[in-house]
Amino acid sequence: MILRKLAWFFLLCKLSFASSHDDDSISTAIRQLEDSAEYLKCNVIVVDTEYGEDTNVDESDTDEFFCNPIVNAESGHSSSFSYLLELPLDFLNNNREKLLKGDRQILIKEGTINNGTVIIPDDTRIILKPGGRVIEDLSGYVTRRVLVLRVSTIGSNQTYTTDELSHNFFADNDLTLKSQYAACSHGKLTFEPVSSNVSDHIEGGVLDVELNVTAHSMERNELGNLAIGEAERLIGNNLIDVANNIIICQPPDSLGDWVAYAYVHQPYSVYKGEWCGFISANMHEVGHNLGFKHSNLPAAQGSDGIYGDRTDYMGWSYPRQKWPAMCFNAQKNWQTGWFADKALHIDVSNGVWSGKLATFVDYDNAKDDEYVVIKVGEKLYFQYNRAKGMNAQTHDRPNELVVVESKLEGTELLGGLDGNQFNSTFFQYNNFENSNKTLFITICSRHDGNNITDADYFQISVGLDAIDCNVTMSPSESPSLSPSSSPSASRVYAGHHPDRGQLCDDDMEQEIAIPGFLNIKCSFLQNSPEGPVRDFLCNTTRASEVCMETCGTCSDSCKDEGPFFHYEKGFQDCEWLRTQPNFESLCRPGDTPRYYCRETCNSCESCTDNNEDSFNILWWGEKNCTWVNSMPEDKKSWWLEYLCVPDQKAYDTCSKTCGRCEAFPECHDSTSEFTYRGERHNCDWLASELKPDARKTVCQRRHIMRKCRSTCGTCTG
């Protein structure tokens, strides 16, 4: 025994010595360890899990690591099964970045497998080394074979029939995994069902797997391994030899509060019950198989923002069939290579770049000088997130230029530019790549195509400390009495309509002439402190008529809500909102700041139909809003499509009927309790016992944030 320990000691010394000399010595030493039966050898698999609404799991860390045992070190052949790998915390912290890359193998001295989990002895030796995983190239035209396992267990049947699952994943005439990936990739990526020629047990790409166990009595990965083993017995072959993607539909009573999970850069994705039929979950988890990471919001103040980018499928998944129709953000579209011939990598150190950014939706119509995805530097990506076609139901920032940044654990949505605000708003990134310069991106103009031969595109400008739209930026937008040559953001309130019933608000569009100086707008007065300058302008110019609220000409009951709210970069307040250069896009209808900062965003307007006014409808003559509302619903919906467009008078006359009124959601705290630091509390305790700063700290816990939506400022999240 002593001699054996000495042998290991000298071998490990050799490994340590080699690490500072040459890679060949390292490889030789590791191979000697691999040949030893004392070491459990695994491919490391990154597993990402989505949880249900009521989970108490900390979703800031949904990545887990599984062991896929290597059964032949020489050939690299691995088992069909995978097991939970609970690594020691210090090892995990020291190697997390390497592990998340997913191309690693791990050697665990005296490691064993029991009840679906790798057992790691205390103080044992663990060695991490590069693996042999090959990342598939998705550029060009790629076809992948898909096999769906419909798993049933004792006392628990599947949510969907075999035919329903086949339709859900492979139908061409519906919103399915196959049709949507084909649409988003413009035909570059096709998923086809595994043929029944592989096995008589396969029908429409679906294999029924019956297990003689109860689903709620074992962990999800154990049930998954049993399903894989039984499936391979039924078809007489390894699953990965017949399919590129294996989708496992587990019964609805599977143990745990997870709803779906996937192996990153590996073929397996798993769903619980009804979630196997939800398109957003299917696109999300199979996206992980393809190597996509999460689409998040920036992490700040301890709030992770995971899944927070809802412009694409790698953000939140939704418990609904056949909805929503959307695609992927700029980083994913760059990663796939689907649009490689229309992708541009800009080197801003060479000066300002100006050009055309077409929407990826119109990729097939984009001209030679129109790009659909742009990368700046090493980590910044943006695209035109046009809400139409296969991307019509993108949730966040529709019809905007959307910017994301690549991070280790996914992308972060940094912001967007409203396509209606030309030359007046810009995205800025301070100290871009440690250059001590600010990156600016702006939209110079918007051009709408015809959906047949011409693409929708933005004319944009990208540069360091500069913007060039071949126009002069108005210096009156700067909140300073001194003329400024640098561009600054215009604070135009998104969604403001001059004919809508504003109670007492500033007119953010009109300019006020200051004799002998510059023209100003109400944004200048709003950013000026109360005192002589504001008093002089309000009393001696048209400001008292244009900026009625700021100048005190009128007043109303419209107020900003609450001490803080949760938005993108953590907890913010309305004072923060007023200082943002992209103020107008943050105040867009339907978004969080507009809900909480109603006074700041001018979102307290009244909205009614004007039944005293009428509009002419061809040979139907003069009609009013009451006439429209008196129709049966089937006829009314048709008329609304015809009348409720900007070029019809009814669009303004029947604001309420046309659905143009903002409906702020009702928001209440839950009456149920939650656990915080080992103690049970409720939302009343959070609201009444804690000061705002302490309340923010508690509200950073996602399960608390969901229960105490009113108190935590998450009513619109």
Side-chain angles (χ1 to χ4, degrees):
M1 185 66 179
I2 293 175
L3 289 175
R4 186 178 180 185
K5 288 185 176 180
L6 284 173
W8 277 110
F9 173 77
F10 286 121
L11 181 57
L12 293 172
C13 286
K14 178 179 179 182
L15 180 61
S16 177
F17 176 78
S19 66
S20 61
H21 287 76
D22 65 83
D23 292 338
D24 290 339
S25 297
I26 295 175
S27 300
T28 301
I30 290 179
R31 278 197 297 272
Q32 291 181 37
L33 292 180
E34 290 176 332
D35 292 338
S36 167
E38 281 192 277
Y39 276 73
L40 173 66
K41 310 165 193 68
C42 306
N43 291 315
V44 177
I45 297 176
V46 181
V47 178
D48 179 84
T49 304
E50 287 191 87
Y51 291 91
E53 283 292 317
D54 298 326
T55 185
N56 288 323
V57 173
D58 180 5
E59 294 185 40
S60 64
D61 188 15
T62 58
D63 290 316
E64 297 175 288
F65 302 101
F66 278 33
C67 160
N68 174 227
I70 299 171
V71 296
N72 187 317
E74 184 174 347
S75 67
H77 181 70
S78 60
S79 167
S80 297
F81 311 122
S82 299
Y83 306 93
L84 182 62
L85 186 59
E86 294 185 332
L87 294 164
L89 187 59
D90 57 344
F91 181 88
L92 185 61
N93 290 337
N94 292 333
N95 295 278
R96 185 171 183 80
E97 183 171 350
K98 294 179 181 177
L99 288 164
L100 284 174
K101 290 182 178 179
D103 57 346
R104 291 295 185 270
Q105 292 181 352
I106 197 167
L107 285 69
I108 305 170
K109 186 179 180 183
E110 298 178 349
T112 57
I113 296 172
N114 186 34
N115 292 327
T117 301
V118 174
I119 307 301
I120 303 175
D122 294 338
D123 300 322
T124 194
R125 178 164 292 277
I126 304 175
I127 298 172
L128 193 65
K129 75 184 195 75
R133 174 178 59 82
V134 177
I135 300 176
E136 294 187 58
D137 182 6
L138 296 177
S139 61
Y141 290 85
V142 176
T143 299
R144 295 177 67 89
R145 296 164 296 165
V146 181
L147 180 62
V148 180
L149 305 187
R150 180 178 176 271
V151 181
S152 57
T153 58
I154 296 174
S156 180
N157 294 320
Q158 254 298 331
T159 306
Y160 304 103
T161 66
T162 301
D163 288 343
E164 286 172 338
L165 286 178
S166 181
H167 179 93
N168 177 70
F169 287 102
F170 305 117
D172 291 314
N173 60 348
D174 212 337
L175 186 59
T176 68
L177 180 82
K178 177 183 177 180
S179 68
Q180 192 63 359
Y181 264 106
C184 290
S185 67
H186 286 265
K188 301 289 183 70
L189 178 59
T190 303
F191 287 107
E192 293 290 352
V194 170
S195 171
S196 57
N197 293 333
V198 172
S199 170
D200 293 338
H201 295 284
I202 298 174
E203 182 180 344
V206 181
L207 176 64
D208 281 309
V209 176
E210 297 181 3
L211 300 178
N212 193 30
V213 297
T214 54
H216 55 78
S217 65
M218 55 178 47
E219 294 294 334
R220 62 184 188 180
N221 60 305
E222 291 183 86
L223 191 63
N225 284 338
L226 286 177
I228 292 169
E230 176 63 10
E232 292 186 340
R233 186 192 69 80
L234 288 171
I235 68 173
N237 206 339
N238 292 330
L239 294 184
I240 59 174
D241 290 336
V242 301
N244 303 105
N245 291 87
I246 298 102
I247 292 170
I248 303 177
C249 300
Q250 290 195 8
D253 60 342
S254 294
L255 188 63
D257 52 5
W258 62 278
V259 296
Y261 67 94
Y263 295 1
V264 181
H265 272 308
Q266 300 290 333
Y268 294 99
S269 61
V270 187
Y271 310 81
K272 179 193 285 190
E274 61 182 354
W275 282 83
C276 219
F278 298 153
I279 181 64
S280 59
N282 304 152
M283 297 290 288
H284 180 110
E285 303 304 339
V286 172
H288 282 312
N289 294 161
L290 300 177
F292 298 165
K293 295 183 179 181
H294 281 145
S295 297
N296 306 321
L297 295 178
Q301 303 178 17
S303 178
D304 54 90
I306 195 168
Y307 305 125
D309 174 4
R310 296 173 295 180
T311 65
D312 82 342
Y313 281 122
M314 299 312 293
W316 286 109
S317 295
Y318 304 90
R320 182 172 167 183
Q321 289 183 289
K322 304 177 183 179
W323 184 91
M326 55 184 181
C327 292
F328 300 99
N329 69 25
Q331 186 276 328
K332 276 81 172 177
N333 280 338
W334 182 281
Q335 176 182 333
T336 61
W338 293 334
F339 311 118
D341 60 325
K342 296 294 180 184
L344 177 67
H345 193 172
I346 297 175
D347 182 359
V348 287
S349 65
N350 292 330
V352 176
W353 181 87
S354 296
K356 298 175 182 178
L357 175 67
T359 173
F360 66 92
V361 179
D362 289 340
Y363 163 74
D364 291 331
N365 295 333
K367 304 297 189 292
D368 290 344
D369 62 342
E370 296 170 1
Y371 301 96
V372 301
V373 58
I374 293 179
K375 180 178 181 180
V376 183
E378 295 305 314
K379 295 183 178 181
L380 216 62
Y381 304 81
F382 59 87
Q383 66 185 19
Y384 180 5
N385 188 40
R386 188 75 167 93
K388 69 175 185 178
M390 73 293 207
N391 197 52
Q393 292 160 337
T394 178
H395 189 286
D396 284 350
R397 302 192 178 279
N399 304 314
E400 294 188 14
L401 183 157
V402 177
V403 185
V404 299
E405 185 173 24
S406 179
K407 300 282 189 176
L408 174 63
E409 297 187 355
T411 57
E412 291 184 353
L413 173 61
L414 298 186
L417 291 175
D418 187 341
N420 293 314
Q421 303 295 331
F422 312 143
N423 308 319
S424 60
T425 63
F426 52 82
F427 169 86
Q428 68 181 66
Y429 192 118
N430 297 327
N431 191 25
F432 181 67
E433 296 191 336
N434 299 314
S435 64
N436 291 321
K437 296 182 178 181
T438 299
L439 175 73
F440 288 101
I441 303 172
T442 194
I443 298 173
C444 302
S445 59
R446 188 191 74 218
H447 301 263
D448 294 331
N450 57 15
N451 295 320
I452 302 173
T453 58
D454 298 320
D456 298 344
Y457 70 85
F458 292 142
Q459 184 75 33
I460 66 171
S461 175
V462 183
L464 290 177
D465 288 344
I467 291 175
D468 182 10
C469 282
N470 295 317
V471 298
T472 302
M473 302 290 284
S474 171
S476 66
E477 300 297 345
S478 174
S480 166
L481 280 174
S482 300
S484 171
S485 60
S486 61
S488 55
S490 166
R491 297 181 62 191
V492 178
Y493 289 94
H496 174 73
H497 192 284
D499 295 330
R500 297 279 287 274
Q502 297 287 336
L503 301 177
C504 174
D505 287 312
D506 296 344
D507 185 335
M508 304 305 295
E509 306 288 350
Q510 285 199 49
E511 290 189 345
I512 305 160
I514 310 296
F517 192 60
L518 299 169
N519 293 346
I520 66 168
K521 292 184 178 180
C522 295
S523 57
F524 175 86
L525 288 176
Q526 290 178 350
N527 287 310
S528 299
E530 293 186 14
V533 173
R534 182 189 288 188
D535 291 344
F536 172 79
L537 293 174
C538 285
N539 292 327
T540 61
T541 69
R542 289 183 58 248
S544 60
E545 302 172 14
V546 178
C547 311
M548 297 178 67
E549 186 171 24
T550 297
C551 287
T553 309
C554 64
S555 62
D556 58 30
S557 59
C558 186
K559 304 297 180 186
D560 290 335
E561 302 285 337
F564 61 81
F565 56 89
H566 191 268
Y567 182 70
E568 292 195 358
K569 295 186 178 181
F571 291 101
Q572 310 292 358
D573 56 29
C574 299
E575 184 61 34
W576 163 85
L577 177 63
R578 286 190 285 271
T579 66
Q580 299 307 298
N582 57 333
F583 177 91
E584 72 287 345
S585 63
L586 294 175
C587 275
R588 68 189 186 279
D591 210 348
T592 299
R594 189 171 179 85
Y595 177 90
Y596 284 96
C597 304
R598 300 184 189 183
E599 169 68 10
T600 300
C601 289
N602 280 358
S603 58
C604 292
E605 65 253 45
S606 62
C607 180
T608 60
D609 289 340
N610 182 4
N611 289 307
E612 300 298 319
D613 199 2
S614 63
F615 42 87
N616 187 274
I617 309 177
L618 303 178
W619 50 83
W620 280 273
E622 293 292 321
K623 300 295 179 182
N624 61 15
C625 309
T626 303
W627 175 79
V628 178
N629 285 306
S630 66
M631 294 182 178
E633 284 302 315
D634 56 341
K635 292 185 178 180
K636 179 180 175 181
S637 61
W638 188 91
W639 275 108
L640 290 179
E641 288 186 9
Y642 172 75
L643 294 170
C644 296
V645 292
D647 60 351
Q648 292 284 350
K649 184 179 179 181
Y651 182 74
D652 292 322
T653 304
C654 305
S655 295
K656 184 176 181 180
T657 297
C658 286
R660 298 180 59 217
C661 304
E662 288 187 70
F664 290 114
E666 293 187 10
C667 182
H668 306 285
D669 289 339
S670 169
T671 57
S672 61
E673 293 185 334
F674 55 83
T675 300
Y676 178 67
R677 294 184 174 177
E679 297 181 0
R680 301 292 290 174
H681 297 287
N682 59 25
C683 300
D684 288 339
W685 166 84
L686 182 61
S688 60
E689 298 295 326
L690 300 183
K691 293 182 178 180
D693 286 344
R695 201 181 308 158
K696 289 179 187 178
T697 301
V698 179
C699 285
Q700 288 169 3
R701 305 294 180 91
R702 188 169 292 276
H703 68 286
I704 297 175
M705 187 185 297
R706 287 175 176 168
K707 288 183 181 294
C708 306
R709 297 175 64 213
S710 178
T711 300
C712 289
T714 56
C715 291
T716 59

